[in-house]
Amino acid sequence: MVKLSRAAPLLLVSLSQVASRSLPAPTAFIGSSIASTNNAFSRRSVSVKAGEYPVICGEDTMSQKAHGTSEKPVQKSLRWECDNETADRICNFNRHYAEFAGYWQTTKFLEEVSKTEPTEYYDSVTGKLLFTAPIGRSMEDFLKESMSHGWPSFRDEEVNWEYVRCLENGECVSTSGTHLGHNIPDGKGNRYCINLVSVAGEPEEE
């Protein structure tokens, strides 16, 4: 348990709990988790081929650095009023735990997120662009799937593979060492189950 700036406590759940909620039997872990203009949206659109993703990395990506698995703490001011202390623990000092199921719905995310345009999600540590969603589906479909599983859920075409990797055990991370979540495939393919606190950063300054 960690302390929140708000009154309600935030419980961290283990990977086994996530899997039990999200994995339909007999599926197992495999694989190694606002575009403001049309140009930005086009930049993120990719052609996904079966078996091409996820992009796998080695354990060295998550080696100990100056601040846990990252070089620095999470940003002080995160989007959607995500809790900073919780974000830092999950992003930088954690490999197996997650924010509690449905946490993202207790933030200002649903109030502030665009319902008509794709939203860009940035690394809470580095500000690098990690995900853009929805792509190839409606916002209603994205929210419905995320609510069903308990965490924001992204598909292959919504991942910025320049900065996102998966380990062989399914852990989803950034190339700089931020823990993001896990790849929990289902009947539709890879599904990256991601902590909102890990992708609530402000974009890095150019």
Side-chain angles (χ1 to χ4, degrees):
M1 180 179 294
V2 296
K3 294 181 180 179
L4 273 175
S5 57
R6 295 195 291 268
L10 176 58
L11 297 177
L12 300 182
V13 297
S14 68
L15 174 57
S16 61
Q17 290 172 291
V18 174
S20 65
R21 281 182 54 90
S22 307
L23 268 178
T27 308
F29 287 108
I30 62 174
S32 54
S33 243
I34 298 174
S36 57
T37 66
N38 288 334
N39 288 338
F41 177 77
S42 299
R43 186 184 71 247
R44 284 286 300 113
S45 298
V46 297
S47 176
V48 177
K49 298 179 181 179
E52 185 176 359
Y53 298 111
V55 177
I56 305 299
C57 70
E59 186 66 31
D60 57 309
T61 300
M62 298 300 285
S63 62
Q64 290 298 301
K65 305 178 183 70
H67 189 78
T69 56
S70 298
E71 293 293 349
K72 58 185 179 180
V74 298
Q75 299 173 7
K76 292 183 178 180
S77 181
L78 298 174
R79 299 162 76 190
W80 309 302
E81 294 190 358
C82 287
D83 182 68
N84 184 273
E85 180 182 348
T86 299
D88 200 52
R89 291 192 184 193
I90 289 178
C91 291
N92 298 321
F93 298 95
N94 161 65
R95 303 292 301 278
H96 306 291
Y97 291 86
E99 63 199 21
F100 68 77
Y103 167 77
W104 64 283
Q105 293 174 257
T106 71
T107 69
K108 286 196 172 183
F109 177 82
L110 290 175
E111 177 184 334
E112 297 178 355
V113 72
S114 173
K115 304 303 190 299
T116 58
E117 298 291 333
T119 294
E120 293 184 342
Y121 299 82
Y122 298 91
D123 191 318
S124 292
V125 177
T126 66
K128 298 286 188 183
L129 176 63
L130 302 181
F131 301 92
T132 303
I135 291 180
R137 54 177 170 170
S138 67
M139 186 62 173
E140 180 181 2
D141 288 340
F142 171 76
L143 292 176
K144 182 178 180 180
E145 180 173 68
S146 297
M147 289 176 182
S148 173
H149 294 291
W151 291 266
S153 297
F154 300 91
R155 297 292 176 171
D156 286 336
E157 60 270 23
E158 296 170 330
V159 183
N160 181 7
W161 292 107
E162 183 176 359
Y163 298 116
V164 177
R165 297 288 186 270
C166 282
L167 280 77
E168 290 289 348
N169 66 358
E171 183 182 7
C172 188
V173 303
S174 76
T175 54
S176 59
T178 305
H179 174 82
L180 304 177
H182 286 81
N183 177 25
I184 305 177
D186 59 14
K188 298 178 182 178
N190 293 315
R191 180 175 62 82
Y192 306 95
C193 188
I194 302 300
N195 295 290
L196 185 65
V197 296
S198 298
V199 293
E202 295 290 347
E204 65 177 344
E205 297 181 1
E206 297 293 338

